[in-house]
Amino acid sequence: MNAESETARDTEWHAGGHGDGLGARPPAEVAVVVIGYDDAAHVTDAVRSALAQGPAVREVVAVDDCSRDGSIGLLKRLSASEPRLKVIRRRANSGGCGTPRNTGLDAVTSPYVMFLDSDDVLPPGAVDALLAAAEGAHAEVAGGLCVRRELPSGREVPWQPRLYALHAVVPRPAQRTRLVHDTLCVNKLYRTAFLRAHGIRFPEGRFPYEDVVFTARLLAAAPRIALIPDRVYVWHVRRSEARLSISLDRSGVENWRARTEACRQAYEVLLGAGQKELARTARAKFLDHDLRMYVRELGLRDAAYRRAWWELTRAHLAEYDADDWARNPAAPGRLIGRVVLASPEPCDLPRLRELAARPARLYPPYARAADGTPVWSDAIPHVSLEPLRARPVRALPLAVDAELRPGARGTRLRLRLHELYGRVAQAGPETVDVEWRHRDDGDVVVRGASLPLAPCAGVPLAPCAGASGADETAGSSGPGGSAGSAGRGDSARRSGSAGRGNSAGPAGSAGSAGPAGPAGPAGHGGSAGSDGTWSAETAVDLLALAAPGVGTWDLRLRIRFRDGASRDVTAHALTGAGLLRRRAVPSARHGVVLVQPYITHSGALALRVAPGVRGVLSVVRTRLRRLLH
């Protein structure tokens, strides 16, 4: 035994039987395993959220992974007044989450089990909803919606909402391959006997992303799964903590090594179980999710990290076969992966970061091979972009530049849409809808006018190459892919941020416009040459943006085409003289509004607004805290 049991009261607790009448209380059939290490500030909240689920919870098994901060004392005191709580203290820290979860699973005596991390909580009714779904569908697993709650703002982002949009029963995981994308273990209820019968456990020791392998082992056993749209788990994201969680701490290349290893093992587990379609989906998920997330952050890392990351990624992607690359060949993750494989050294990082954004943007230049085939670049001509020609316009990685200039006479936003191998002109862009979405509350939106897009040619909106575009957090990256700007990065789902592209160059490169074609028929979008652009300009309603108080706004655009199709995009923030500077703008209502355009981690334009003297002072205090710490 490598764990010491310190159970206060090892007694079973029952709150009524199954009952035969309507309204009978649910049986006490569920165990909740709570794991924690040096988390005295939050662990009792997690345990209480499990106990508060009511009589369906038969036992809560709290496993302390040899904490040094007093966590065990808090748990023991709580267990003295709560007979359902069983406390287990491990003698040595395991270095990960898998071992304490396995320890808790071994101690469970209930027919069903759930897992809960010490810094998260179960929302009211979660256990009842999952238990009812599992028993009603005779399922070995029941899963529900997890929400990521950003703290301290409280902004919530649902995890894999498409998967949990409706009630559903999946007889076998292969019938819904999207299940591979939900690698969380905590938003599910499991039949304990099923896990034990199939030997489904977590990797032991210091193994980051242990839930990726656990989920693969679970799906490989082909359980019957019930899905419900109810909120069953609240994942707290605390980016300001001194000690980040394993999944949030991506600053070292070892984190990427651990993620690729977990994804590799997941693929092998599924393939070894004969679940070939699930295994293929796992590899596709790596390209579309994991790879794109880390590429968006490459500009924030130093040269040594980027070289090591590139080498690890090439080694991992070298294991992919032709069938893996043939599936959805125009998908951004596959294009990024092929560029990484094609170059032995890191290259085109700003442009790759654009493509890794959500939604993706393929930034100029748009190179062609000698036969006219679209290719990634003149330096990497064997990465073909030919599949883009068959991709529907609503899914094209369209690139839009944005230039925002605050001023006493009004704040102006200028936009420029780039051509993409003739596809944009063919579709006929007509208008662009502009909206600003509040960073902390995505339901708060300030919508602008629907602007006509006019074909144009000539000089770029603003010079980019070598320009300084530093915001108050970090300097923006230049064409070489050096340290990028900070802001809220890929974690902000509604920001839709994208990376910077190559800033300047010959005709057809970023910001440059080729010759525009003649204007289209009246009432329709104009046409342009294969390297043309379309532009629009509008005023920004600072009064509306300032109304909620100090806040950050993300620019979102919807481009509409003459056949009724549309494409939602974000805008690449241009840098240059007079751009991305903090301005104090006079306001009749607020006296003054502090306006700060800036570049997100991924290169998209965002805007911080602080109205009134109090708002200005709050920004100054925040700035001082950053300087002092």
Side-chain angles (χ1 to χ4, degrees), residues 414-557:
R414 299 174 63 194
L415 304 170
R416 180 164 290 178
L417 167 66
H418 289 273
E419 179 57 275
L420 185 62
Y421 295 112
R423 293 297 314 283
V424 178
Q426 182 183 30
E430 292 190 320
T431 60
V432 55
D433 299 339
V434 178
E435 73 174 29
W436 295 92
R437 192 174 293 269
H438 198 276
R439 176 67 58 79
D440 293 331
D441 187 351
D443 294 330
V444 177
V445 174
V446 174
R447 291 185 172 87
S450 183
L451 309 173
L453 282 165
C456 60
V459 297
L461 287 173
C464 297
S468 173
D471 71 5
E472 64 184 55
T473 309
S476 59
S477 66
S482 59
S485 64
R488 289 287 294 280
D490 61 280
S491 62
R493 178 183 62 88
R494 284 183 284 263
S495 73
S497 54
R500 295 188 57 207
N502 299 320
S503 298
S509 65
S512 63
H524 293 280
S527 60
S530 61
D531 292 317
T533 57
W534 293 258
S535 66
E537 184 172 345
T538 187
V540 177
D541 189 352
L542 281 185
L543 192 62
L545 297 180
V550 178
T552 300
W553 299 83
D554 293 303
L555 177 63
R556 304 302 297 266
L557 307 172

Side-chain angles (χ1 to χ4, degrees), residues 14 22 76 96 143 179 194 206 216 236 251 260 296 298 305 318-319 325 327 400 403 428 475 531 564 604 619:
H14 295 272
L22 293 175
K76 290 172 68 175
L179 288 164
F194 182 83
R206 182 163 181 77
H236 285 146
S251 59
T260 55
R296 289 195 294 268
L298 273 182
Y305 175 101
E319 300 173 4
W325 297 112
R327 295 189 173 201
V400 177
E403 172 190 300
D531 292 317
V619 172

Side-chain angles (χ1 to χ4, degrees), residues 155-343:
R155 185 178 67 92
E156 292 188 349
V157 179
W159 171 262
Q160 296 296 325
R162 287 172 49 194
L163 191 58
Y164 298 102
L166 300 170
H167 288 273
V169 177
V170 183
R172 294 184 303 279
Q175 294 178 331
R176 184 163 299 190
T177 58
R178 184 78 189 177
L179 288 164
V180 169
H181 288 252
D182 183 13
T183 55
L184 299 183
C185 69
V186 290
N187 60 330
K188 302 175 183 70
L189 177 81
Y190 310 90
R191 192 178 292 275
T192 308
F194 182 83
L195 297 182
R196 290 173 176 166
H198 292 273
I200 301 170
R201 297 171 67 81
F202 295 89
E204 294 277 349
R206 182 163 181 77
F207 191 102
Y209 306 106
E210 74 293 329
D211 45 358
V212 173
V213 177
F214 176 87
T215 299
R217 292 171 177 172
L218 179 75
L219 297 178
R224 183 178 176 87
I225 301 176
L227 306 176
I228 61 175
D230 306 59
R231 287 163 43 114
V232 301
Y233 196 87
V234 178
W235 174 3
H236 285 146
V237 180
R238 298 178 172 90
R239 299 183 190 279
S240 59
E241 294 284 302
R243 178 170 63 92
L244 293 174
S245 67
I246 292 174
S247 61
L248 290 180
D249 188 5
R250 298 194 291 268
S251 59
V253 75
E254 287 306 312
N255 177 278
W256 180 239
R257 188 190 305 275
R259 187 180 285 262
T260 55
E261 178 58 27
C263 292
R264 177 183 293 109
Q265 289 195 25
Y267 170 79
E268 292 173 351
V269 165
L270 292 168
L271 192 64
Q275 302 282 1
K276 183 177 291 187
E277 192 63 26
L278 292 177
R280 294 285 188 200
T281 304
R283 281 189 164 175
K285 173 257 178 189
F286 175 84
L287 294 173
D288 187 61
H289 175 70
D290 305 84
L291 182 64
R292 290 175 70 177
M293 177 167 59
Y294 281 71
V295 166
R296 289 195 294 268
E297 299 176 351
L298 273 182
L300 306 176
R301 314 303 182 198
D302 60 26
Y305 175 101
R306 293 197 294 266
R307 285 194 298 271
W309 183 94
W310 200 268
E311 182 179 350
L312 283 170
T313 307
R314 282 169 54 83
H316 182 70
L317 295 179
E319 300 173 4
Y320 282 41
D321 59 29
D323 286 343
D324 293 319
W325 297 112
R327 295 189 173 201
N328 197 5
R334 281 169 178 76
L335 295 178
I336 293 169
R338 292 174 61 205
V339 171
V340 172
L341 275 179
S343 175

